[in-house]
Amino acid sequence: MSTMSEIIIAPSILSADFARLGEEVEHVLEAGADWVHFDVMDNHYVPNLTIGPMVCKSLREHGIEAFIDVHLMIEPVDALAADFATAGASLISFHPEASNHVHRSIHAIKDAGCQVGLVLNPATNVNVLDSVLEDIDLVLIMSVNPGFGGQSFIHSSLEKIAAVRSLIDQSGRSIRLEVDGGINKDTIAAAAQAGADTFVAGSAIFNSENYAETISQFREKTA
Ligand code: DX5
Ligand code: ZN
């Protein structure tokens, strides 16, 4: 039995114009995006620095009601995850390498009222999911090393997507399978064929002339 579900397109605001973030988010949602992918980097777990819970709260106060998919690339995880739950995050994903107690972090996020995801880097083995797949709502497969937008898709991630798709199907639970990094009109179809159902794209959407056209091209290629 396959648990494949509807396709979700989640533009990463890492490539948006931060000076006009509220408008950019409105614009991309009007263009047909489903989720807002919110990349949080701490210059410690990854060598870059971005935005924190105050910016998530500002988007909510600006009137953004869409699903906010927070991708934490930070170490440690728990305190800021709690702040993001308070700031209006819908789902919070973290990298297991960044938490000493992965099961505890998962349940703290759920207890705070958010959905929870685990993120696998290109060199992270899928066996990190063994004891916790039952507890999570989403697996995020990184198809680049985390830290920067605009990198090239790492093709070996397709095998990992397929492996996790089969674990999810075996579990019988509706767990989303998200892919993040180097997704564009040339790579999205292969990721969908391997079993991803949720697609993050930063530069391919925000550097395009017409967000709506790019998002609809993505949908055609995942159909
Ligand atoms: C990378 C981030 C991604 C990034 C994707 O660490 O997690 O979400 O913004 O950017 P593109 O789509 O440009 O590869
Ligand atoms: Zn991301």
Side-chain angles (χ1 to χ4, degrees):
M1 182 192 65
S2 172
T3 53
M4 288 290 285
S5 42
E6 60 171 319
I7 295 300
I8 296 281
I9 306 290
S12 161
I13 57 174
L14 185 60
S15 292
D17 178 354
F18 279 123
R20 299 187 300 111
L21 189 59
E23 278 169 55
E24 282 273 73
V25 171
E26 281 166 351
H27 184 179
V28 85
L29 290 167
E30 280 161 20
D34 301 296
W35 290 3
V36 177
H37 184 80
F38 192 112
D39 284 309
V40 184
M41 304 185 187
D42 67 350
N43 191 37
H44 170 70
Y45 180 68
V46 290
N48 200 354
L49 184 65
T50 60
I51 45 180
M54 284 186 290
V55 177
C56 184
K57 185 164 175 262
S58 294
L59 288 177
R60 289 297 188 213
E61 286 170 355
H62 185 75
I64 301 299
E65 291 178 354
F67 192 98
I68 300 185
D69 170 33
V70 173
H71 174 191
L72 296 180
M73 289 162 274
I74 62 167
E75 182 180 2
V77 170
D78 294 352
L80 271 176
D83 290 347
F84 269 102
T86 306
S90 307
L91 180 147
I92 300 174
S93 294
F94 66 96
H95 290 250
E97 297 88 347
S99 170
N100 286 330
H101 305 285
V102 171
H103 182 274
R104 176 182 290 154
S105 298
I106 287 171
H107 286 277
I109 291 169
K110 289 172 77 159
D111 291 348
C114 293
Q115 294 185 37
V116 61
L118 265 195
V119 193
L120 276 57
N121 281 330
T124 305
N125 195 293
V126 298
N127 66 15
V128 301
L129 298 170
D130 280 355
S131 303
V132 291
L133 193 64
E134 295 293 310
D135 298 324
I136 63 179
D137 301 289
L138 174 143
V139 178
L140 171 49
I141 306 293
M142 291 306 298
S143 40
V144 298
N145 286 293
F148 302 95
Q151 303 181 79
S152 300
F153 187 85
I154 297 172
H155 284 269
S156 59
S157 60
L158 294 173
E159 284 166 38
K160 191 173 288 179
I161 292 169
V164 175
R165 166 51 56 201
S166 106
L167 291 175
I168 289 173
D169 287 351
Q170 280 163 34
S171 81
R173 295 186 62 242
S174 65
I175 299 167
R176 287 217 156 258
L177 180 48
E178 185 174 42
V179 58
D180 183 5
I183 291 293
N184 56 40
K185 62 179 172 37
D186 300 322
T187 54
I188 195 167
Q193 251 162 17
D197 56 24
T198 303
F199 302 86
V200 176
S203 51
I205 292 176
F206 285 103
N207 295 349
S208 72
E209 288 296 316
N210 186 326
Y211 300 170
E213 202 172 274
T214 306
I215 290 170
S216 72
Q217 272 182 354
F218 284 2
R219 290 204 196 280
E220 281 163 28
K221 289 184 183 280
T222 56

